[in-house]
Amino acid sequence: MSERSSRLPGFRKLEPSARLQAVAEFSALNADQLALLCQPGALPLNTADAMIENVVGTFELPLGVATNFCINGRDYLIPMAVEEPSVVAAASNMARLVRAYGGFSASTTTPIMRAQVQVLRCLDPHGARSRLLAAQQEIVDQANQQDEMLLSLGGGCREIEVHLFDDTPVGPMVVLHLLVDVRDAMGANAVNTMAEAVAPLVEKISGGEARLRILSNLADRRLARASVRIPATALDTPDYSGDRVISGMLEACALAIVDPYRAATHNKGIMNGIDPLVLATGNDWRAVEAGAHAYAAREGRYTALSRWEQDSSGALVGTLEMPMALGLVGGATKSHPAAQAALAVLDIKSADELAQVAVALGLAQNMGALRALATEGIQKGHMALHARNIAIAAGAMGEQVDIIASQLADGEGMNQARAEQLLRALGN
């Protein structure tokens, strides 16, 4: 385990300024980076205006830090930009639970992204496929002429695939895939440029007409994997034995495996952990979401992304495998000042490492949700934290928020009308 510890007892009870100081000490942030994390206006309006169209302002989300994480023997504090209560707490709690048993293990494959070139009106689609495959080196060389910098970093187009669709609403279709190692980039711009560059050559070889030339967000050659193993006794609660908790978690996972209605919520819980990190680091959370859900349906039926099992010793074993197209260069990761500060908190050295942290975070979030479902139910902990939002919506301010939230959690009915009633009583 690393010398720096992400185990910060009492962190949630600190004032935001004290939490920030603890993060600064862990991550060795400078004063400017600290200011970007905690002060409004981290994204200047002129920068925002250059990032997207029709800018009228900026929009803020709470930025929390998940603690206790040990991944591949290294401790992390993980920044998470999210509006939903209980997300950061659940991930932190599960990380605290498993760190005594080695924490999370994670790995990634080579960062291969796909670009597609759609070809229509081929008179001989099968013959076109054969000719394209025979010309693989010529096509790869043409693609690699577009990005010398990527090649200098050890990346570039590696190979091609050719897919046939004999019967579509617009006739037979040939689709060429460029498989590109994008290194530490998310890779969209690189692979899109390559697809457009090779399209004329693809037309010449195939005898068809190139239409769409764009990346695929189903990054099934760019996978991240995480796993965790803890003994049953670590899951003991005052009301449930660890074996009983594991049994409930396995039953919940089994439903998500066979039932797409449950799988959608199961996988949403995984993304509850991953999306806030992707967002905080300026990456494309929509691309990650699209890839995750497409991967979950890759065998023709939508199913759970994670698997939970009990090994021969009775220990709980959880695994998660999914596409993870994240980058450290380009896009908002470079243009958004707060994203740069979030990456500094992580002290991430590569896009692969960021993907490993993301998938471990998703597995922790999933573990927390299943553990709650297997014991007291999902609402008890979630609503206790949601009570603060209800109190704020009712008009509570400062110390009133905690007082009203506590009364809501302890009493009958957790809604805004009751919060307003309690607030009026507090003022008397």
Side-chain angles (χ1 to χ4, degrees), residues 125-141 159-162 174 176 201-202 205-206:
H126 290 269
R129 177 178 183 273
S130 180
R131 293 191 298 274
L132 288 167
L133 290 173
Q136 172 173 273
Q137 193 58 54
E138 184 181 3
I139 295 169
V140 168
D141 290 344
E159 59 180 309
I160 68 170
E161 293 178 354
V162 183
V174 179
L176 179 134
L201 177 60
V202 170
I205 295 169
S206 67

Side-chain angles (χ1 to χ4, degrees), residues 313-326:
S313 72
L316 176 69
V317 177
T319 55
L320 173 61
E321 176 186 273
M322 58 184 290
M324 195 60 65
L326 301 178

Side-chain angles (χ1 to χ4, degrees), residues 208-346:
E209 300 176 14
R211 289 292 185 261
L212 296 185
R213 303 171 297 279
I214 190 170
L215 89 161
S216 169
N217 288 124
L218 177 51
D220 58 356
R221 294 281 293 269
R222 192 178 188 177
L223 300 177
R225 303 181 179 104
S227 64
V228 66
R229 179 187 180 278
I230 57 173
T233 53
L235 295 165
D236 287 340
T237 74
D239 299 317
Y240 301 92
S241 70
D243 283 326
R244 173 61 183 83
V245 174
I246 291 175
S247 177
M249 293 177 69
L250 301 189
E251 290 163 357
C253 185
L255 178 59
I257 290 170
V258 301
D259 179 13
Y261 290 95
R262 172 59 200 152
T265 308
H266 180 98
N267 291 341
K268 188 267 184 183
I270 292 170
M271 303 312 294
N272 271 352
I274 292 171
D275 284 345
L277 171 60
V278 177
L279 185 59
T281 56
N283 274 280
D284 188 346
W285 62 268
R286 298 161 305 279
V288 174
E289 280 272 351
H293 297 299
Y295 193 71
R298 66 192 182 281
E299 295 179 357
R301 180 178 57 83
Y302 189 82
T303 188
L305 286 166
S306 66
R307 292 293 186 271
W308 293 91
E309 303 164 304
Q310 192 169 22
D311 69 13
S312 60
S313 72
L316 176 69
V317 177
T319 55
L320 173 61
E321 176 186 273
M322 58 184 290
M324 195 60 65
L326 301 178
L328 294 186
V329 296
T333 58
K334 285 296 185 183
S335 59
H336 198 307
Q340 286 291 293
L343 287 169
V345 171
L346 286 161

Side-chain angles (χ1 to χ4, degrees), residues 94-251:
M94 292 304 98
R96 177 183 56 81
L97 185 65
V98 307
R99 65 182 286 116
Y101 306 98
F104 297 89
S105 297
S107 63
T108 52
T109 62
T110 304
I112 298 291
M113 294 293 289
R114 293 177 183 267
Q116 296 180 292
V117 179
Q118 176 198 36
V119 183
L120 301 176
R121 297 178 179 85
C122 282
L123 296 179
D124 58 339
H126 290 269
R129 177 178 183 273
S130 180
R131 293 191 298 274
L132 288 167
L133 290 173
Q136 172 173 273
Q137 193 58 54
E138 184 181 3
I139 295 169
V140 168
D141 290 344
Q142 175 78 11
N144 281 333
Q145 290 176 17
Q146 313 310 311
D147 200 327
E148 293 183 3
M149 176 60 72
L150 183 59
L151 262 65
S152 72
L153 296 172
C157 184
R158 298 290 187 238
E159 59 180 309
I160 68 170
E161 293 178 354
V162 183
H163 299 257
L164 292 184
F165 299 94
D166 292 320
D167 185 16
T168 83
V170 293
M173 191 180 298
V174 179
V175 183
L176 179 134
H177 289 199
L178 299 175
L179 302 180
V180 184
D181 181 341
V182 297
R183 298 285 86 193
D184 282 330
M186 185 273 181
N189 289 333
V191 300
N192 286 343
T193 299
M194 289 182 179
E196 292 181 355
V198 304
L201 177 60
V202 170
E203 284 188 327
K204 179 181 177 182
I205 295 169
S206 67
E209 300 176 14
R211 289 292 185 261
L212 296 185
R213 303 171 297 279
I214 190 170
L215 89 161
S216 169
N217 288 124
L218 177 51
D220 58 356
R221 294 281 293 269
R222 192 178 188 177
L223 300 177
R225 303 181 179 104
S227 64
V228 66
R229 179 187 180 278
I230 57 173
T233 53
L235 295 165
D236 287 340
T237 74
D239 299 317
Y240 301 92
S241 70
D243 283 326
R244 173 61 183 83
V245 174
I246 291 175
S247 177
M249 293 177 69
L250 301 189
E251 290 163 357

Side-chain angles (χ1 to χ4, degrees), residues 379-396:
Q379 284 297 82
K380 182 178 179 181
H382 178 76
M383 291 305 290
L385 293 170
H386 185 53
R388 292 175 56 83
N389 281 347
I390 297 175
I392 292 169

Side-chain angles (χ1 to χ4, degrees), residues 28-48:
L29 300 182
N30 60 42
D32 291 339
Q33 291 169 324
L34 286 176
L36 289 171
L37 290 176
C38 70
Q39 294 178 5
L43 178 63
L45 193 59
N46 61 341
T47 302

